[in-house]
Every structure is written in structure tokens, then in C-alpha cells.
Amino acid sequence: MRKPFFTESPEQSLARAFAEHIVSWARQTRELDDPVANTLKKAAWQVSMAVSSGDSCLLLDDLDENGDKTDVGIIRQMLFDSGVVATPDLPGNCPLVLDGENRLYLHRYFGYEQTLAECLVRLCQPREIDTKLLRPLLDSLFSQNKSDKTPDWQKMATALALRQSLLIISGGPGTGKTTTVASLLACILETSPANRIMLAAPTGKAAKRMLDSISQRLDLFPLHMQPAIPKEAFTIHRLLGITDNLSNARYHRGNPLPCETLIVDEASMLDLALASTLFAALPENARVILLGDKDQLAAVEAGSVFSELSSRFVLSGSCRDDLEALTGYRLTDSDLPDAENDASGAPLGDSVVWLMKNYRFSESSGIGRLASDIRDKRIAEVIRFLREQNDPLVQWLDMDDTGVVSGFGKTVSEQFDDYFNVVRENPSDVRLVFDVFNRSRILCAVREGPYGVNAVNRLLANAILKMQADGNQAGKNLREKWFAGQPVMVRRNDYVLKLFNGDVGIVLPDAAGNLSVYFPDEDGSFRSVPPSRISDFETSFAMTVHQSQGSEFDSVLLLLPSEPSRVLSRELIYTGITRARSKITMASRLPVLLESLQHDSARRSGLVKRIFEITTCSG
């Protein structure tokens, strides 16, 4: 009889090797008794796994000692006795750092937190403002939003961005973040025409969408100002000159970015390491605006920087005085959504604003109502609304219903009926093909399983290939893994081809019937790339919810797995639903949906603690 065997995930293998290395390191410096060695090995393994799971650190309270709850004080002492665990004030070259609140870090990640916190505190300062110059400009830009009873949060956010060197703007889709940025650019360029402004986002897709959104608001800018509007938006990696790893960035503390204003969109996707590297590369007197949605999924890598920093929205009395002078509206405690209107208790007081009015979804909008209920944890209301099926633009497919399950393939294919037709009838019209393709998307919570990305992509690839075989459509490639109408997502940056992780192209035949992969270019045109030049890609009719961040589609089909998964969370459901502009269809079993909505994807971190420590010391 063959013995059963178990395989490790890559993350587990890395954690095991790291833990063994740490114990070996410690034994090179001193004698370790078994309890200390075992505790050190377990802690090193778990902190490595914690980082792989998105946490920045490990709480000693979470250290599993085979079910035995060893006193945390004893664990702390054993870790320090190992000689390879240091305190924050004297980290030295120790591979692990343990702070006073029992957070255990990989040395590098403690450094990321400390560097980012120092940069944020430095930036979190008010600037000199010319009220007489800016007040009429703001009144002109927001003349259509006048109200004596409620604050115009777009106007407030713009005024706050002019007052602060750092501003974090959080708002869901349709709350006017881009309009706020365009208005801010108009104010900056009016008062400082030579201001060096840079636009950036974590992905190429998000950067392009940011630039497109600003271009659509050119009416906000006088003709004399339009030549100064930024014409390019960068991925953060490209902005910093990162070609392989973060430590080799062209721009860093010793060689700061040549900018005076930096605006980063989709900052919810910033992980701790990238955020730390970015802020360390900023010049001393830079103005920084981060845009994102605190309720969305955090970054794939470790850290939830944006949600942590934007978790409190409080404004001091002096800040409210300045905002009144700039906007004409006096903010009161009742205007602010944060129940604790105490700026001293917020990590970045006066540097956070929430945009709360939705200009895309009306109060009667099904998507708007659903997103709001999910965001505010009104789970019973979410389930009731989905079950009632009163809104044709919000549908729930119960995957415990055998009829729904048997028709799953048809449901998936129908999402792309229009796309399949245009590929068959007008494959030479690249712009039309992209326009139709970008109207809808299938989003999956997971990669594997019958409702995962891989299975759905295979199903749709087979469907379009069958259609082409029936129609005898031309267009084959030597490798035979390419086919007309195949959407492909680039999985690795290629600076020679100017293709970046997350870019999506479509395979189409040229006039001679040879297949090329077409990608949208920055100027709105399309360029073709030979399939043989693209080495790391995946078919992308469906994508993960994580991959969809920074994108929006008219219609979205959101698929959850048939069984609960650790990746499922309320934030994932919210992010998937808010990718839809007009129609959302969600397919799931009720128990899986309920468990997802009840699970918040909170991550372990000490970033806020680091900020308070630095603020206290400097104060």
C-alpha cells in the first residue's frame, strides 16, 4: 500500500526553509535549549506565513503552540534569548523585530513600516494658502454644487488638498474622486503654472483610466491651462524606475523624484513595501494626494496601507477655520461621519477626507443600495434584497438550485454573446471589438474549481472556438494556443514591449489572416504585437476580483466558489459588485455568500502605532 504524502505550498516551503535558517543563525551565536529553539522556529515559520497571507506582522497572541497557550511574556523572553530577535529601538542586523505590543516582524517589513510612517508624519503638515486667490477659484469650479445646508465634499476635498501637503481621499465609484482631482489640478496650475505634476497608479490599466478620466474633464480647464495638464500617467514601478526589485529603484531618498505634486489613483492597491519605497522617493516639499476606496480589497501583497490611513476622518478646529475661509461653509461635528471627532486620536488628522455623495448611483439604484448595505455590514438587508429579485439590474443566481447549476454554461456564455458576434462578423474593426469586450466581464473569487477563473476561461475558449469552427473562420497560429477573439492578460512587465502586468490585449487576424495581439495605446490607437513575443500571459474572459481593481464594466457576473474559502470576505464582494456600472449578477450558494459577508479581511499591522510613536516623539 502506497503511503500517503502531502505537498507544501510554495509559501509553506519558503516559511519552513526560513525558519530552519533562523534557528541555524541563532545557534551560530549561542547555545539554544530546545524550548527556545522550538519557539523561535515556530515564530519564524508563522511570521513568514503571515506576510505571505497579507499581514505585515504576527501577533504573539496568534502564535499557536500546538494548542498550549504559553504566556506571552515567556514567549517574548525566549525570542529575545535566541539572540536573533531585536527591539525596534535597536534592530541592528537581527532578522526579526519584536515591538512593545507583541508584534513580531521580519526585519525588512519593520523597516518598511518605520520608513513609511516617518515620511507620512513629515508630510502631514499644513501649507501656506492664499485664501483671497483660491476662494473665488473654488467658487467658480464648484458653482453648480451650491448648498447652504450640506457641505460640498468635492469642494471641501479640493480645498483640503490645497491646505495639506498630504491628503488621502476615499470614496466609492461615482463619488467624484476624478472630478475632485481635475479641480485640484486647475487650482494648482492657476496659482503655480510651472508646478511639476506627476500622475501614477499601481497598474498600467489604472494609470490609463486615470488619464482618460482627467482628459474627459478638460472643460474644467481654461484654454491657457490645458497645455500644462499632465499628458502621461505612470505605473508606480515605472515612475520609480524599478525594473526588477524595489531595492534597485532609480528614484529613492538619495535621488528623489523630480516632482512637486504627486497624485496616485487606486491607492487601495498599494502594498506596504511599494508604498514605503514610493514615499521615501518623494522630495522634501512635495504635495501628495492618494485616491482610493477604503472599503475595497487591500493589495495582494502584505499590508493594507490605504484602509489603515483612511480609517478615521476627523478635522481639527484650525483646519475647519481654514476650510470655511476657502469654501464659505462651516463644518460642524454633525457633518463629519466619524463618531469620534477628535483629531488627536486619528493617525493622520486633517489629512483624510471621505467622499460620501454618489453621483453615479441614485438612492433608488439597485447597485448603489447593494454596495451601501455591504459596506455598512447590513447583511440581512443584502440577503433580503437579493432574494426579492425586484431589480432587473441586480440578480442573484442561487447555486443550490439544480436548474441554475445545469444552465451555468449558458449563463456564462451569454455574458459574451455580443462579443462573440462582433469577433465573428467584424474582426478587422479592432476598436469595435475592444468596445464590446469591455462592456462586460466575469469576475471570480478564486482560480480553481468549477466557478474559478481557469475553468470559466476554458469554457469560454471552447465556446468561441466551436463558433469559429462552425463558421470556418480563418486565423491560426503555429503554436495553436492562440485564437481569434482570445483576450489575454499580461502577467509580467516587459519594458521593451511597453507591456505591463495586468494589461489586456485581444488576439485578432490581420488582413492576411495571421494572428496578432492588439493592445490599446496611450493615444487611443491600437498596436499589434506578435504572439511569439508574449511569453507570460493568461486567457482572460474571466479574471479574479483582485485583478479587476481599477476597472469598471457595464455588466458584471460575479462568481463565488461552491465551498467557503479563506479568500472570501465582505471586501471582496463589495469590490466585485462595484466594478459594475449598470448591471450586476452574482452566482453563489447562500451559505457561502453569508459567510463571505460576515468575514472582514482585517490585516495585522503596526503602521498606525509607528505613526503615533513618531508623532509623540516629535511633539
Side-chain angles (χ1 to χ4, degrees), residues 177-358:
K177 295 190 293 293
T178 305
T179 300
T180 301
V181 167
S183 302
L184 173 62
L185 288 175
C187 290
I188 292 173
L189 292 173
E190 181 66 29
T191 56
S192 178
N195 195 286
R196 292 174 295 176
I197 301 169
M198 288 184 168
L199 308 177
T203 67
K205 178 173 52 180
K208 183 179 183 303
R209 187 164 164 265
M210 178 190 195
L211 195 63
D212 290 344
S213 297
I214 291 174
S215 298
Q216 291 167 9
R217 290 163 175 79
L218 288 178
D219 57 319
L220 289 171
F221 302 92
L223 289 177
H224 73 274
M225 193 184 293
Q226 293 188 12
I229 300 170
K231 302 297 188 296
E232 187 173 15
F234 301 86
T235 64
I236 294 175
H237 281 77
R238 185 176 165 216
L239 178 79
L240 294 173
I242 299 168
T243 55
D244 46 12
N245 60 66
L246 298 181
S247 62
N248 292 332
R250 176 185 176 188
Y251 294 104
H252 45 77
R253 181 168 288 169
N255 181 36
L257 285 163
C259 72
E260 295 169 85
T261 300
L262 175 65
I263 302 174
V264 181
D265 199 9
E266 297 294 343
S268 318
M269 300 164 67
L270 277 175
D271 61 75
L272 174 61
L274 187 58
S276 177
T277 306
L278 174 64
F279 274 82
L282 292 171
E284 190 73 22
N285 297 315
R287 173 190 276 119
V288 184
I289 296 93
L290 303 182
L291 305 161
D293 186 347
K294 63 182 177 61
D295 299 301
Q296 276 191 28
L297 279 170
V300 176
E301 305 297 333
S304 52
V305 173
F306 188 87
S307 62
E308 286 185 83
L309 298 182
S310 59
S311 62
R312 298 286 311 279
F313 173 22
V314 292
L315 301 173
S316 64
S318 60
C319 182
R320 296 188 206 189
D321 291 342
D322 289 342
L323 291 179
E324 182 179 16
L326 286 167
T327 67
Y329 185 93
R330 178 68 187 183
L331 288 169
T332 65
D333 286 353
S334 61
D335 290 318
L336 301 175
D338 200 317
E340 305 173 44
N341 290 309
D342 176 14
S344 63
L348 298 175
D350 296 343
S351 286
V352 176
V353 63
W354 298 347
L355 298 181
M356 293 165 285
K357 181 177 179 179
N358 201 298

Side-chain angles (χ1 to χ4, degrees), residues 26-27 29-30 32 36 40 77-85:
R27 281 183 166 144
T29 62
R30 64 185 62 192
L32 295 184
V36 171
L40 177 63
Q77 190 57 53
M78 284 195 289
L79 291 176
F80 286 134
D81 288 346
S82 72
V84 293
V85 178

Side-chain angles (χ1 to χ4, degrees), residues 53-56 202-203 266-272 292-310 544-550 567-576 579 600-605:
S53 299
D55 294 325
S56 304
T203 67
E266 297 294 343
S268 318
M269 300 164 67
L270 277 175
D271 61 75
L272 174 61
D293 186 347
K294 63 182 177 61
D295 299 301
Q296 276 191 28
L297 279 170
V300 176
E301 305 297 333
S304 52
V305 173
F306 188 87
S307 62
E308 286 185 83
L309 298 182
S310 59
T544 64
V545 177
H546 266 292
Q547 289 172 328
S548 74
Q549 288 181 273
V567 305
L568 296 176
S569 66
R570 182 177 56 85
E571 291 86 351
L572 182 140
I573 305 296
Y574 171 85
T575 303
R579 299 311 91 201
D600 291 346
S601 60
R603 291 184 170 182
R604 305 294 195 188
S605 167

Side-chain angles (χ1 to χ4, degrees), residues 2 48 73 171 184 187 216 227 242 257 290 323 394 405 434 443 467 470 503 545 565 570 593 604 609 612 619:
R2 175 177 287 181
S48 179
L184 173 62
C187 290
Q216 291 167 9
I242 299 168
L257 285 163
L290 303 182
L323 291 179
V394 178
V405 173
F434 268 87
L443 306 182
M467 177 201 74
D470 293 343
D503 286 354
V545 177
S565 166
R570 182 177 56 85
L593 175 59
R604 305 294 195 188
K609 175 65 174 177
F612 279 129

Side-chain angles (χ1 to χ4, degrees), residues 530-596:
S532 59
R533 298 289 303 278
I534 304 174
S535 58
D536 194 354
F537 72 95
E538 63 185 20
T539 299
S540 190
F541 290 103
M543 61 175 64
T544 64
V545 177
H546 266 292
Q547 289 172 328
S548 74
Q549 288 181 273
S551 300
E552 291 178 356
F553 312 97
D554 291 340
S555 175
V556 166
L557 171 59
L558 176 61
L559 304 178
L560 303 189
S562 55
E563 298 297 331
S565 166
R566 66 181 181 86
V567 305
L568 296 176
S569 66
R570 182 177 56 85
E571 291 86 351
L572 182 140
I573 305 296
Y574 171 85
T575 303
I577 285 171
T578 54
R579 299 311 91 201
R581 284 188 290 254
S582 302
K583 181 180 180 180
I584 179 69
T585 302
M586 182 159 50
S588 68
R589 297 178 57 235
L590 180 59
V592 174
L593 175 59
L594 274 171
E595 185 165 325
S596 304

